[in-house]
Amino acid sequence: MFRNQYDTDVTTWSPAGRLFQVEYAMEAVKQGSAAIGLRSKTHVVLACVNKTNSELASHQKKIFKVDEHIGVAIAGLTADGRVLSRYMRSECINYSYTYESPLPVGRLVVQLADKAQVCTQRSWKRPYGVGLLVAGLDESGAHLYYNCPSGNYFEYQAFAIGSRSQAAKTYLERRFDNFNSSSREELIKDALIATRESLQGEKLRSSVCTIAVIGVGEPFHILDQETVQKLIDEFEIVKEDDVPPAEPQPEGEQDAAADQGAGADQGGGDAAASEGAAPMDI
């Protein structure tokens, strides 16, 4: 995207019918660290990548608790995400005080979308540069919504936003049919695998990801690092167990392989050293 004469104001339309400032805000979401959400009939799991600007700094919080039955994960400008999460908390408190019941998730998402839309229609405002994955549970079941800076909102079975989220989306699309009937542990495991896909080669550790869960009989809460690391270790053990064992060779082939191995040993030690090297972690 390049600067042009139609992007100086959020209320200025281009001849092609585009609002460039809104598109720039949506681009800011793509630049943020990845956030992933999955839901089944009874549970919703949120996951995010903890990205730091420096090795000397701690990461910024990307998952916020709104109420006992609602939580959000953000990608984009963290400051905008904090402001919107506070707004959502206020709406939940006011509704609970007035009606003595929890605020339905869909109604809160609509109010949040209306708030974001106002910023696309006022020349003295700018769009919020953050995308939100809203996870919630109400009388109609578990929900996962995505709120866009343009004011649009969509309900998903599973979704990923942020930088390098396409690899996570590809994994979620392959596993899409299983999510609706998945258990809590299976959802968390899929969320961890999708997070690992978005890291693109970096090793998955509890220090680089955050997991939050909400479900029937389970209020929204963020899992501590020790629990997440145990789940990651369990997942890696399962992956190792999935490797099929090598088939035994017939005796004749074994003798031939032994003769070839003896010849290789006499030929030189460099080849043997290279064969004995540890495989590269992927």
Side-chain angles (χ1 to χ4, degrees), residues 90-112:
S90 298
E91 291 299 312
C92 287
I93 292 172
N94 292 336
Y95 187 94
S96 178
Y97 179 80
T98 304
Y99 299 103
E100 298 183 356
S101 63
L103 176 60
V105 183
R107 183 175 299 186
L108 178 62
V109 169
V110 171
Q111 293 176 354
L112 185 63

Side-chain angles (χ1 to χ4, degrees), residues 84-191:
L84 291 177
S85 65
R86 282 200 301 268
Y87 166 78
M88 296 170 72
R89 287 194 196 104
S90 298
E91 291 299 312
C92 287
I93 292 172
N94 292 336
Y95 187 94
S96 178
Y97 179 80
T98 304
Y99 299 103
E100 298 183 356
S101 63
L103 176 60
V105 183
R107 183 175 299 186
L108 178 62
V109 169
V110 171
Q111 293 176 354
L112 185 63
D114 291 343
K115 185 178 179 65
Q117 191 277 335
V118 170
C119 295
T120 68
Q121 210 172 359
R122 301 288 186 269
S123 60
W124 60 91
K125 293 185 177 182
R126 67 160 177 83
Y128 291 104
V130 64
L132 295 95
L133 289 177
V134 182
L137 189 73
D138 55 22
E139 295 179 351
S140 59
H143 300 281
L144 176 68
Y145 291 92
Y146 168 58
N147 276 78
C148 184
S150 63
N152 290 325
Y153 64 94
F154 310 92
E155 186 169 10
Y156 286 94
Q157 188 75 38
F159 197 55
I161 58 176
S163 63
R164 297 185 293 188
S165 61
Q166 186 56 48
K169 287 180 185 176
T170 302
Y171 172 79
L172 296 175
E173 289 169 358
R174 292 202 307 264
R175 296 276 300 167
F176 170 77
D177 294 334
N178 302 326
F179 290 151
N180 202 36
S181 59
S182 294
S183 64
R184 176 183 183 273
E185 287 72 22
E186 290 172 342
L187 277 184
I188 295 176
K189 189 173 292 186
D190 285 327

Side-chain angles (χ1 to χ4, degrees), residues 207-229:
S207 59
V208 299
C209 67
T210 303
I211 304 291
V213 184
I214 183 174
V216 176
E218 183 177 10
F220 184 87
H221 67 285
I222 299 175
L223 302 182
D224 55 53
Q225 283 195 357
E226 293 181 359
T227 304
V228 174
Q229 189 60 51

